[in-house]
Amino acid sequence: MTSARELRIAVVGAGASGMMALIKLREAGFDDVTIYEKAETLGGTWRDNRYPGVTCDVPSHGYRYSFAPNPEWSHVCAPGPEILDYLKDVAAKHDVERSVRYGEEVVRADYRDGKWEVETTSGPQGQFDAVLTATGVLHHPTYPDIPGREDFEGEAFHTSRWKDGLELEGKRVGVIGTGSTATQITGALAGKVAHYSLFQRTAQWIAPLPQGPIPEEQKALFREKPELLQSEYERISHENNSKFAAAIVGANPRAYEKLVEVCKEHLETKVRDPELRAKLTPDYAVGCKRLILSENFYDAIQHPDAELVTEPIERIEAKGIRTKDGRLHELDVLVYATGFNTHQLMRPMRVRGQDGRTLDEVWAEGNRGYLAVTVPGFPNWFMIGGPNSPIGNFSWLLTAERQFGYALRLIEKLRDGNLTEIVPKKQAAERFNEEVRAALPGTVWATGCKSWYIDKHGNIASWPFTFEKFEADMKEPRWDDFEMA
Ligand code: NAP
C-alpha cells in the first residue's frame, strides 16, 4: 500500500470563498496551500464595495460561515464594513494571511502531466497539483456605453471604485443605474446631498426587507445560547431556500404568487403619486432581474431633493448629463452603478487545459462546466462559483461552502488515491448542461428581461434547480462521472 502524497495547492482570490477554502484545506491536512490575491488586502466584494449605504441584502444571521457563527451583527442586514471586519476577524483567528500573496494576479495557468504551472504578475510560481479558483462573480465593473464620459469635469467613478473620503454634502450627485447597488446608494444619499438624481433605464421590483438594529438583549441571548443563533440561521435559510429560491426556479408557485403580491403591495403603499408609481413599475416578471430588497428606497426617492429621471440619457457633458429631451442635469459627482461583467469569471487569466485548448476557447459560446465546480479537459481545476453556480439563489457563503466541500472530496481523492489527475467526463458535463437547458425555461429568469444572469449568447448563468438538488449534488461526487489516473 502506498502512502498519500503531499499536494501543492493554489487558491485564486482572498475573498470570502478563498479564505474559507484555505481554512478548510488546512483543516483537512493540506499544509502547502497558497492564496494569490490581486489586491493588497483580503475581503473581495466587501473590500471593493465601499459605497454609501452598502449592506448585506440578506439577513446577516443567514450570512456567515458555518464554522464562525456571529452573535454580534449590529443590524438585521449588517453594513458592508462590519461584514469586512467579520471576514478580517475570521482570517486573523485562522492565521489566513500567512498563506496569502497579495498584489499577485494570476495571469496564466498551463496544465502539463498532472501539474498546473501558474504564473502571476510577478512571474512564474512553479507547479501545483491542484488549483481552486475563488474569484467571485461580481468583480469586473461595467461602464455604460454613453458618449461623452471623458468630458465630465466633476468626479466620476464606478460604485466598486468609490472615492474614499469624498465629501458629498452640498454636492449635486447623479447615479446611473437602478440595481441593488444604486438602490442602496439612493437610500443613503437622497436627502443628504444638495440634489440627488437617479437615472433609471429600467424599473426594478423591490421587496421590503427590514434593516433595523438588533437590540443588545438579542445579541446577549445569541451569545449565551448558540443553539438560538443556529436556529435563527436555519429559519432564515429555510425561508430563503424553500420559498424565495424555489419560487424563482418555478418549484414553488404559491411562494412565487406571494412574492409578486408583496412587491406590488410594497410599491402601491409606499408610492402614492400615480405618475411616479407608473415610472417605478417594471414591465417584466418579479424576480426576472435579481430581486431588490430594500426598506428605504421608495421613501428616499420621494425626498424633495431627489429626482427619478426616466428620460433616456443622450450624452455626458462637462457639467452633467444631457437627457434626450434636451435638459442638462448639472452634477458635481457622477456615479456609475452600472453593474458587472458577470460572465468573465476568473478571466482574463489564460488557462490552458489537457489538450492545449484554453478556457476562452472552450467557453467561446458560453461558460459551461460540470455542476459549477469542474470542467472537462481541465483536470485538478476546481471552481467556487463556476458556470451555472447558484448566484442570487442561496446565501453566497452557504453556496461557497457546499461547492468547496464537493471540491475537497475530489482533492482528497487525488491525495489519498495517489492519483495524478481527476477530471469530469465530457458526457457527465453534457448530461448536466442538458438538464440545465431543460430546466431553464421553467425559471423566472427566462420570462423575458435583460439581466446580469444572461450572457451575450443568451445563456442563463444561474442554477435553475432547487436547494434540495444542490445539497444532494454537492454531498458526494458521482465517481463514475470522473476520469481518474
Ligand atoms: P446591476 O444589477 O447589474 O444593475 C446595473 C444597472 O445599471 C441597471 O439598472 C442597468 O439598467 C443600469 N445600466 C447599465 N448600463 C446602462 C446604460 N448604458 N444606461 C443606463 N443604465 C444602465 O448592478 P448592481 O446594482 O451593481 O448589482 C449587481 C448585483 O450585485 C446585484 O444584483 C446583487 O446580486 C449584488 N449586490 C449585492 C448587494 C448586497 O448584498 N449588499 C449590494 C449590491 C449588489 P438595465 O436594467 O436597463 O440594464
Side-chain angles (χ1 to χ4, degrees):
M1 180 159 160
T2 47
S3 61
R5 66 190 183 104
E6 292 284 316
L7 299 188
R8 188 170 183 231
I9 303 173
V11 174
V12 187
S17 314
M19 273 176 52
M20 173 272 296
L22 173 78
I23 293 167
K24 291 194 166 203
L25 279 166
R26 281 194 197 145
E27 215 176 80
F30 296 94
D31 295 321
D32 194 355
V33 184
T34 307
I35 301 189
Y36 292 97
E37 166 57 53
K38 67 182 174 189
E40 298 299 334
T41 55
L42 56 76
T45 195
W46 300 110
R47 172 200 62 219
D48 289 348
N49 287 284
R50 299 181 308 278
Y51 56 80
V54 60
T55 65
C56 200
D57 71 356
V58 295
S60 296
H61 282 302
Y63 188 86
R64 52 80 169 140
Y65 295 123
S66 60
F67 54 90
N70 180 21
E72 308 302 334
W73 292 123
S74 68
H75 287 71
V76 176
C77 297
E82 194 176 323
I83 301 171
L84 184 58
D85 284 346
Y86 167 76
L87 296 179
K88 286 180 180 165
D89 207 43
V90 171
K93 281 197 183 108
H94 292 267
D95 196 14
V96 163
E97 289 197 294
R98 85 174 142 87
S99 302
V100 185
R101 300 273 304 274
Y102 288 115
E104 302 263 11
E105 180 172 358
V106 177
V107 290
R108 183 183 69 80
D110 285 292
Y111 184 76
R112 263 184 220 105
D113 304 326
K115 301 275 184 194
W116 283 99
E117 284 171 12
V118 172
E119 184 177 333
T120 68
T121 31
S122 70
Q125 302 298 316
Q127 296 187 322
F128 292 84
D129 300 289
V131 176
L132 188 137
T133 62
T135 48
V137 175
L138 295 148
H139 64 112
H140 299 289
T142 303
Y143 291 85
D145 187 13
I146 299 172
R149 268 181 43 213
E150 57 296 338
D151 298 336
F152 185 63
E153 285 175 352
E155 299 279 1
F157 43 82
H158 189 271
T159 50
S160 65
R161 303 287 182 272
W162 198 268
K163 216 161 173 198
D164 292 326
L166 181 68
E167 191 46 72
L168 293 174
E169 211 185 301
K171 300 266 171 66
R172 295 160 303 178
V173 179
V175 174
I176 301 179
T178 47
S180 305
T181 306
T183 305
Q184 293 187 341
I185 294 175
T186 304
L189 290 189
K192 314 254 172 32
V193 294
H195 189 73
Y196 182 83
S197 312
L198 182 67
F199 294 86
Q200 171 184 289
R201 184 166 69 180
T202 312
Q204 293 267 12
W205 287 112
I206 304 177
L209 176 70
Q211 287 159 335
I214 296 178
E216 281 308 316
E217 311 81 75
Q218 180 80 60
K219 288 189 216 167
L221 206 59
F222 284 148
R223 250 175 249 135
E224 273 163 41
K225 300 193 165 157
E227 65 279 12
L228 284 185
L229 191 57
Q230 178 60 19
S231 64
E232 178 63 354
Y233 171 80
E234 281 161 16
R235 186 191 66 76
I236 293 168
S237 297
H238 178 73
E239 274 293 300
N240 182 68
N241 301 339
S242 71
K243 294 189 182 159
F244 170 73
I248 56 173
V249 297
N252 189 340
R254 279 189 59 191
Y256 184 74
E257 275 167 34
K258 182 75 193 152
L259 193 63
V260 172
E261 204 181 297
V262 164
C263 290
K264 288 189 170 164
E265 200 182 295
H266 186 212
L267 176 62
E268 274 158 31
T269 51
K270 283 282 186 179
V271 184
R272 305 304 303 164
D273 169 16
E275 204 179 313
L276 181 64
R277 194 159 67 219
K279 286 181 177 178
L280 288 168
T281 305
D283 60 359
Y284 54 86
V286 169
C288 185
K289 282 176 184 286
R290 207 290 202 153
L291 187 68
I292 293 180
L293 297 133
S294 170
E295 193 182 40
N296 59 11
F297 173 79
Y298 288 137
D299 288 338
I301 200 63
Q302 293 176 85
H303 190 279
D305 295 330
E307 183 181 2
L308 179 76
V309 181
T310 53
E311 183 68 21
I313 297 173
E314 172 84 30
R315 62 178 177 274
I316 296 169
E317 300 183 359
K319 300 287 176 215
I321 289 183
R322 176 88 58 188
T323 42
K324 287 218 189 301
D325 55 2
R327 181 174 160 206
L328 176 67
H329 302 257
E330 290 197 36
L331 302 172
D332 302 304
V333 178
L334 171 54
V335 177
Y336 300 115
T338 41
F340 300 86
N341 177 349
T342 47
H343 309 287
Q344 214 172 313
L345 300 181
M346 69 287 287
R347 293 164 292 168
M349 179 197 306
R350 204 213 63 204
V351 185
R352 195 180 291 284
Q354 224 168 9
D355 59 3
R357 295 179 77 206
T358 64
L359 261 188
D360 275 334
E361 287 161 354
V362 174
W363 287 353
E365 301 293 313
N367 307 341
R368 281 189 192 90
Y370 174 55
L371 288 174
V373 181
T374 57
V375 195
F378 294 79
N380 311 350
W381 181 272
F382 309 100
M383 298 168 293
I384 293 179
N388 292 103
S389 170
I391 41 175
N393 308 44
F394 324 125
S395 154
W396 178 258
L397 297 186
L398 169 67
T399 299
E401 282 197 42
R402 292 293 186 276
Q403 291 177 336
F404 173 79
Y406 180 92
L408 180 63
R409 300 284 286 120
L410 300 171
I411 295 170
E412 283 174 335
K413 190 82 167 176
L414 265 183
R415 175 186 66 184
D416 302 341
N418 257 308
L419 304 175
T420 312
E421 66 180 37
I422 189 158
V423 65
K425 292 178 182 163
K426 226 173 150 192
Q427 308 87 287
E430 276 164 12
R431 191 188 67 231
F432 171 67
N433 287 299
E434 199 39 61
E435 284 172 24
V436 167
R437 261 192 300 278
L440 278 170
T443 69
V444 70
W445 308 309
T447 52
C449 71
K450 192 169 150 267
S451 82
W452 62 257
Y453 292 132
I454 306 177
D455 73 9
K456 62 179 182 212
H457 309 284
N459 303 311
I460 301 178
S462 196
W463 175 263
F465 314 110
T466 59
F467 180 69
E468 288 71 25
K469 176 164 164 54
F470 180 64
E471 286 276 77
D473 285 346
M474 292 295 101
K475 205 172 166 97
E476 175 77 15
R478 285 167 63 163
W479 297 107
D480 285 352
D481 285 346
F482 289 87
E483 279 162 10
M484 296 177 243

